[in-house]
Amino acid sequence: MSGDERGPGRDRLPVVDSDAHVVEPFELWDELPAEVRSLSRRREVLPDGREQLHHEGRPMRLDWTVGTLSTPGSAREGGSLDIEFTDVDPAVNDAGRRVHLMDDQGVAVSILFPSITLGVDDITHDGYRRAHAELYNRWIADFCSLDPARLRWAAVIPLQEPTWALRELERCLSDGACAAMFSAVPRSRPHDLPYADPGRSDACRNLGHPELDRIYSLLSEAGRPAVAHALNPASNALGMGWLYANRTQWQMGQPFQMQLAILHVLDGGVLERHPNLRYGFFEGDVGWLPHWLGRLEETYEKFALLSRRPAASPIEQFRSQCVISGEPADRGLSPTLDMVGAE
């Protein structure tokens, strides 16, 4: 792309937005198979003008509208919790408008992630979960086909069924996906097993489980990264939704998801078994990372008789194969850069 093609932002350095989001059009879910269509995410406007969302056939209770969720900064002082979805910039699901907006902002490339589909791992119906992910992946591939050099997409891959996940990832990579997006806590759900039951460890199917090695091998061979992306902080997968409400979800839930994801990936030996795999951890801040990696090294020493100690330290592994996204206002950004580098 030449400088003249960048529009009003052409005099600025080109920006690669590695964690941009679309908002899936609600009419997309009308294309789901008939047998699961009633479970899809639906939006209706009630007679009194209020918005009502439905998920898996049940009404949802939210403190804000989809329009507010789709508008950055809308919950700040002076913002609004009831923005109409029709008032949102159409770039959220119109590829042509997205490219024009990128021109205005000086963004050279956007790597796109979903909004509604972020919660696909919380879908309990196996058939619906598969159909939802497949439909989204086909839609976003078509969306990005307008300008595949600038619009890139991460395939959404639920991991409850590893064999299906491998097939879907193969299809998405052939369709042009530049990464695979996983839930930070994809399959660890609350169980009825009592506390300290030996079976509890077998019930924890996390990002470090060897069952996922075929998926990681495929990504390594294709030269595509894995990305653990934070989702709804009150996710059922965490089994802790009752602790969170409103702002507390974003204060605690998103960093906690990333802490678990990094722990599971490093502790599970994923990076040792797949030395060419790159792993990203997105939308959970960064200031806590030095403490978390340092504590992981410390616990390897303290509990050496209870767990396998990796050949390379957690800090070394992270520096070599991982990236993490944060915000400029994060007060812990500087010590994090000192520990893991800016690369």
Side-chain angles (χ1 to χ4, degrees):
M1 181 176 62
S2 69
D4 291 340
E5 292 173 327
R6 286 195 201 112
R10 60 181 177 270
D11 293 331
R12 296 177 244 165
L13 287 173
V15 173
V16 175
D17 186 348
S18 62
D19 187 8
H21 286 261
V22 294
V23 180
E24 304 88 303
F26 283 92
E27 57 268 24
L28 175 65
W29 313 124
D30 294 338
E31 301 176 28
L32 285 166
E35 60 270 22
V36 297
R37 198 173 300 147
S38 64
L39 300 175
S40 66
R41 184 70 62 89
R42 291 190 301 106
R43 175 182 178 271
E44 65 175 333
V45 179
L46 302 176
D48 61 4
R50 290 183 299 114
E51 177 183 84
Q52 177 65 67
L53 298 184
H54 298 265
H55 178 65
E56 291 196 272
R58 299 187 299 271
M60 301 175 65
R61 181 180 176 184
L62 298 177
D63 294 316
W64 36 39
T65 62
V66 176
T68 295
L69 286 170
S70 305
T71 306
S74 55
R76 294 178 179 271
E77 186 174 354
S80 173
L81 297 179
D82 57 0
I83 296 174
E84 291 287 342
F85 191 52
T86 52
D87 294 332
V88 173
D89 193 308
V92 296
N93 52 38
D94 181 289
R97 169 59 185 158
R98 168 77 65 157
V99 171
H100 283 301
L101 187 62
M102 290 166 60
D103 288 341
D104 291 342
Q105 296 176 342
V107 176
V109 176
S110 284
I111 301 172
L112 300 175
F113 292 85
S115 293
I116 294 171
T117 308
L118 280 177
V120 71
D121 280 87
D122 272 345
I123 295 174
T124 56
H125 188 290
D126 290 340
Y128 171 35
R129 184 176 58 248
R130 291 192 298 266
H132 185 117
E134 289 171 1
L135 180 56
Y136 169 78
N137 288 331
R138 293 181 189 278
W139 176 80
I140 192 63
D142 182 67
F143 183 97
C144 293
S145 67
L146 177 77
D147 191 343
R150 300 183 65 191
L151 298 174
R152 311 288 180 90
W153 58 285
V156 175
I157 307 294
L159 296 173
Q160 286 89 338
E161 303 169 278
T163 300
W164 171 87
L166 182 65
R167 290 198 305 268
E168 177 64 5
L169 178 57
E170 288 173 337
R171 185 188 66 77
C172 290
L173 290 175
S174 69
D175 283 350
C178 73
M181 189 205 91
F182 306 132
S183 165
V185 191
R187 299 180 292 161
S188 304
R189 288 197 175 92
H191 291 268
D192 295 330
L193 296 171
Y195 178 73
D197 187 295
R200 288 175 68 93
S201 59
D202 294 331
C204 185
R205 293 295 205 259
N206 56 53
L207 291 177
H209 199 282
E211 279 185 345
L212 304 183
D213 276 351
R214 291 184 299 163
I215 293 171
Y216 290 138
S217 292
L218 177 60
L219 288 170
S220 295
E221 293 165 5
R224 297 291 184 265
V227 175
H229 195 292
L231 47 98
N232 175 11
S235 167
N236 293 333
L238 284 171
M240 297 175 64
W242 58 276
L243 288 175
Y244 302 134
N246 301 323
R247 187 189 60 79
T248 310
Q249 296 182 6
W250 312 102
Q251 170 73 22
M252 177 180 175
Q254 287 179 284
F256 184 44
Q257 291 180 57
M258 290 299 104
Q259 290 169 355
L260 286 173
I262 289 172
L263 172 65
H264 289 153
V265 168
L266 295 181
D267 212 33
V270 171
L271 303 182
E272 292 179 296
R273 295 194 300 275
H274 306 278
N276 295 320
L277 178 68
R278 296 279 286 174
Y279 223 118
F281 302 92
F282 284 10
E283 211 165 301
D285 297 331
V286 301
W288 46 266
L289 185 65
H291 162 77
W292 196 244
L293 294 179
R295 180 169 174 78
L296 186 54
E297 292 197 2
E298 181 183 5
T299 54
Y300 277 135
E301 296 176 2
K302 284 186 175 180
F303 302 102
L305 300 181
L306 299 175
S307 62
R308 177 196 61 85
R309 186 166 186 171
S313 74
I315 295 175
E316 292 170 333
Q317 289 187 64
F318 198 96
R319 282 176 176 163
S320 176
Q321 292 177 249
C322 299
V323 295
I324 190 169
S325 71
E327 298 184 10
D330 191 324
R331 296 185 180 183
L333 184 59
S334 179
T336 301
L337 291 175
D338 291 341
M339 173 174 279
V340 301
E343 298 79 15

